[in-house]
Amino acid sequence: MKDLNGWINEGQIMMAQREKKIKRAKSWKFDTVATHGLYDLQQALSSHSGSIMEPVYMSPAQAYSDCNEMEAALSYQIPTWCYSRIANPSTYFLEETIALLETYGSDIIASGLATSSGMSAIKTATDPFLVKDDKLPPPNIVSCAKVYGGTFQQFWIRRYQEQGIEVRWICDPGNLDEWLSKIDNGTRFVYGEFPSNPSLTIFDIESVAELAHSFSIPLIVDSTCATPAITRPLLFGADIVVHSASKAISSSGTSIAGLIVARKNIISKIGPDEMKADFASWAKLWPFRDNGPSIHPMAAIMTLNDMRSLRMMVDKMSQSALQIAEYLHNHPKIENVSYPGLPSFPQKKLADKYMHLVDSDRSAFGYMMLAEIKEQNPGESINTRNFYDGLDMIWRATDLGRVKTIATLNSISTHQQQGEEGRSLAGINPNAIRISVGIEHPDDIIADLEKGFSNI
Ligand SMILES: *Cc1c(COP(=O)(O)O)cnc(C)c1O
């Protein structure tokens, strides 16, 4: 029988093995990392009955062989999963893989944390910076105004209206002076989407990270619409990346899921040293344990299954999206198309700097665009609604990053609840339609868009 120290020694051996596997995965190409992560033959044979795919552990809890192992595990002195609200062996494989993908092409070491949704990832990633600290001025958040509707509401309703935390919106994220004018000693973190959903606004991650760090605060980036196949913000100085893994990361659409990836030693003027040293692992073991936003292990494995083909999916979607953006841009019934791949994109230089298909020399600008339909009078949406209702194959839904092409009329859906003022901050006009390009043949997508135009 092992005593407590015996178990702790065993735990150290397991941790050394994990380090070795991370090192091995760091030498692989992106698709190989996405396919294998840390799960290998040796682990399959020793612990998982030889299963070549990562098994789904539905069990809520883990058993221990004796009180010494339990004591070592529950004091977090050995790798353990204890209880599926905190950790789970299936979820572990997803978390390790996304941490590797977000740091791909660098020697940055990061940790991952999977959550029940993208919104809970954002909440879990931001909560720890908003805690009370009597030595600091009242907290404020500095964030791009052009963010996902749910994020806007989380910040504006939950953080500001309910909790009184000031939210300072950045209206022109390309303008570094605006960031500088809004950050002060009360700012706890800086937040932006890259690119923003649905307005496709981007910002200079490197400069904004540098600015945030000069105030000793972290930059948090929602990279849902780029995915690590295109942009990896940690490589440009961001501290934490959040994802709605409900989107392109799981493009075949089986689950709602969120992911957080934090590099080691984030910059923050608040929080314990353990938090700064390894934010995602700390968040998982402490606040996450108490708040309970964990993902279901089945959803974790389905997300992981889709994530293996992320690069190929994003490549195909991005190529088709560019073709469709060009078609729409030249269409007489279109007012404007925002897509980072178009020469007319106002932040084209930044897009070219940050958006490349990983492991290729090609640029890739993602699957999402915002198209504005020509109206007789500004502020109207008559033609827009006719176009939208004329679509046949393309789905009318509030979804994106899917293998199926989806169109969203944002002013009446994703951005309905934030009102006129909120929509104008977010740059959402009544004639704006977000198109998320899937993996169908682009000719068929264009033929369906024609049906929409012929209904105007
Ligand atoms: C969808 C989305 C979210 C929210 O994710 P859920 O998984 O739906 O909770 C957050 N950010 C962006 C950019 C999104 O597109």
Side-chain angles (χ1 to χ4, degrees), residues 192-208:
E193 263 172 39
F194 193 98
S196 69
N197 173 10
S199 57
L200 278 308
T201 309
I202 55 177
F203 60 93
D204 191 349
I205 301 171
E206 218 160 25
S207 311
V208 174

Side-chain angles (χ1 to χ4, degrees), residues 272-327:
D273 289 344
E274 307 81 59
M275 170 183 121
K276 292 173 211 165
D278 187 350
F279 179 86
S281 306
W282 173 86
K284 180 193 191 79
L285 295 182
W286 309 104
F288 185 90
R289 176 200 67 183
D290 305 336
N291 294 328
S294 52
I295 191 173
H296 191 278
M298 188 74 206
I301 288 295
M302 288 191 293
T303 302
L304 178 61
N305 276 340
D306 258 348
M307 199 165 74
R308 299 183 216 276
S309 53
L310 178 67
R311 195 187 79 96
M312 293 161 262
M313 288 293 190
V314 165
D315 185 15
K316 161 81 179 159
M317 288 170 167
S318 298
Q319 285 188 52
S320 296
L322 180 59
Q323 196 179 330
I324 285 150
E326 281 165 351
Y327 154 80

Side-chain angles (χ1 to χ4, degrees), residues 131-308:
V131 296
K132 178 162 98 44
D133 186 328
D134 295 336
K135 292 190 294 299
L136 292 172
N140 71 70
I141 297 170
V142 171
S143 168
C144 288
K146 294 189 171 77
V147 287
Y148 174 67
T151 308
F152 189 93
Q153 301 291 85
Q154 187 181 101
F155 286 180
W156 196 248
I157 311 270
R158 308 300 150 211
R159 295 303 192 190
Y160 172 59
Q161 290 182 3
E162 291 182 359
Q163 291 173 263
I165 295 165
E166 191 188 343
V167 181
R168 299 176 178 173
W169 297 117
I170 301 290
C171 297
D172 178 10
N175 177 1
L176 213 61
D177 289 338
E178 192 183 347
W179 291 96
L180 182 60
S181 72
K182 294 203 167 140
I183 302 173
D184 62 17
N185 286 338
T187 308
R188 297 293 179 83
F189 63 84
V190 167
Y191 189 94
E193 263 172 39
F194 193 98
S196 69
N197 173 10
S199 57
L200 278 308
T201 309
I202 55 177
F203 60 93
D204 191 349
I205 301 171
E206 218 160 25
S207 311
V208 174
E210 213 170 285
L211 185 62
H213 294 165
S214 74
F215 284 85
S216 298
I217 53 174
L219 168 63
I220 305 175
V221 179
D222 180 334
S223 192
T224 300
C225 297
T227 84
I230 295 180
T231 309
R232 292 174 296 291
L234 299 183
L235 274 59
F236 297 100
D239 297 87
I240 300 174
V241 168
V242 292
H243 281 289
S244 167
S246 325
K247 311 292 168 55
I249 283 181
S250 60
S251 58
S252 61
T254 55
S255 330
I256 295 293
L259 294 166
I260 298 171
V261 182
R263 66 177 171 78
K264 298 282 166 74
N265 302 313
I266 61 161
I267 306 287
S268 173
K269 59 181 169 193
I270 200 159
D273 289 344
E274 307 81 59
M275 170 183 121
K276 292 173 211 165
D278 187 350
F279 179 86
S281 306
W282 173 86
K284 180 193 191 79
L285 295 182
W286 309 104
F288 185 90
R289 176 200 67 183
D290 305 336
N291 294 328
S294 52
I295 191 173
H296 191 278
M298 188 74 206
I301 288 295
M302 288 191 293
T303 302
L304 178 61
N305 276 340
D306 258 348
M307 199 165 74
R308 299 183 216 276

